[in-house]
Amino acid sequence: MPPARSTPPARPAHRPSAREAMLDAAEAHLGEGGTLTLDSAARAAGVTKPGLMYHFSTKEQLLGAILDRMAARYEREMLALVAARHGAEIEDFAEAPAEHRVLAYLDWACTGSIDAADLVIFADPHLRVALTERWEDQLSRWLGIPSGVDAGRGARLLAVRLMADGLWFDRASGLDVGSEEQLDQTRELARDLLGGDA
């Protein structure tokens, strides 16, 4: 009979770096299809539940922190895409022209590192409304249609945003979104839709 595996001792959870390690572990657990609870998040991070709760006293706080961290990562990656395509030195993604932002979102949805953990807003049916509202606020800041935009331009911006939303959701769900060549053609169609200077 093989020897029983011993559980490694839980490490101290009050260091600031421990908070990030806990978020890393919880995000990885979600990405592997795990159901996230405070207990499972503590186990995944190798800390005690009270140690986890020192940083995240509720599941909503934990999932909200994961969502905020993912949104910050998305924004950094999309800002880099705007800079690479347009040579712009913009520090706040929301300050880029609207066409640049939605195309960067589409580029990111086609090529970014996306997995099941990115669907954190759906991780708990009891928190879905609160997390979805939080996510919608973030999307509005990034991709909201500027005031005063004519209806035709607004519709085109929305169409490209919805293309990107669908790609993001399908890739995070593990669905086939087509070949790299097909995604390139989709991005070209979006650029055409928004006009040659986008």
Side-chain angles (χ1 to χ4, degrees), residues 71 74-75 78-79 81-82 92-109 135-147 149 153-166 168 194:
Y74 298 170
E75 185 165 347
M78 290 188 295
L79 193 56
L81 288 167
V82 169
D92 183 355
F93 182 69
E95 292 178 5
E99 284 80 3
H100 295 184
R101 285 184 276 125
V102 295
L103 286 174
Y105 179 46
L106 180 62
D107 284 343
W108 173 83
W135 180 238
E136 182 57 33
D137 288 345
Q138 184 65 63
L139 285 177
S140 293
R141 192 177 81 74
W142 288 340
L143 305 168
I145 297 171
S147 59
V149 166
R153 180 180 173 221
R156 290 189 297 276
L157 288 166
L158 179 60
V160 175
R161 179 222 160 144
L162 294 175
M163 290 167 69
D165 282 346
W168 169 78
L194 293 179

Side-chain angles (χ1 to χ4, degrees), residues 3-43:
R5 280 171 142 190
S6 63
T7 303
R11 49 194 164 78
H14 302 297
R15 304 180 319 273
S17 61
R19 182 182 191 278
E20 289 305 308
M22 289 176 207
L23 289 172
D24 286 340
E27 201 173 325
H29 184 67
L30 279 172
E32 294 163 1
T35 300
L36 196 68
T37 64
L38 291 177
D39 287 315
S40 69
R43 278 193 305 275

Side-chain angles (χ1 to χ4, degrees), residues 7-198:
T7 303
R11 49 194 164 78
H14 302 297
R15 304 180 319 273
S17 61
R19 182 182 191 278
E20 289 305 308
M22 289 176 207
L23 289 172
D24 286 340
E27 201 173 325
H29 184 67
L30 279 172
E32 294 163 1
T35 300
L36 196 68
T37 64
L38 291 177
D39 287 315
S40 69
R43 278 193 305 275
V47 299
T48 63
K49 184 175 177 181
L52 179 85
M53 292 180 73
Y54 176 82
H55 296 282
F56 312 102
S57 60
T58 66
K59 185 176 176 181
E60 183 172 2
Q61 284 183 359
L62 176 61
L63 290 172
I66 293 170
L67 183 61
D68 289 346
R69 192 165 85 142
M70 288 192 309
R73 184 181 78 236
Y74 298 170
E75 185 165 347
R76 284 191 306 273
E77 293 172 1
M78 290 188 295
L79 193 56
L81 288 167
V82 169
R85 177 179 292 278
H86 302 285
E89 293 199 20
I90 299 171
E91 292 186 20
D92 183 355
F93 182 69
E95 292 178 5
E99 284 80 3
H100 295 184
R101 285 184 276 125
V102 295
L103 286 174
Y105 179 46
L106 180 62
D107 284 343
W108 173 83
C110 287
T111 62
S113 177
I114 299 173
D115 67 24
D118 292 12
L119 297 175
V120 66
I121 57 175
F122 305 112
D124 185 307
H126 302 295
L127 299 175
R128 187 187 57 77
V129 171
L131 292 172
T132 301
E133 286 174 357
R134 194 169 178 160
W135 180 238
E136 182 57 33
D137 288 345
Q138 184 65 63
L139 285 177
S140 293
R141 192 177 81 74
W142 288 340
L143 305 168
I145 297 171
S147 59
V149 166
D150 70 77
R153 180 180 173 221
R156 290 189 297 276
L157 288 166
L158 179 60
V160 175
R161 179 222 160 144
L162 294 175
M163 290 167 69
D165 282 346
L167 276 165
W168 169 78
F169 186 84
D170 284 0
R171 288 188 64 216
S173 300
L175 300 176
D176 180 16
V177 295
S179 68
E180 190 174 325
E181 182 182 359
Q182 289 170 315
L183 292 178
D184 286 344
Q185 290 170 346
T186 300
R187 286 155 41 188
E188 195 58 43
L189 283 170
R191 282 191 285 278
D192 289 347
L193 185 63
L194 293 179
D197 59 345

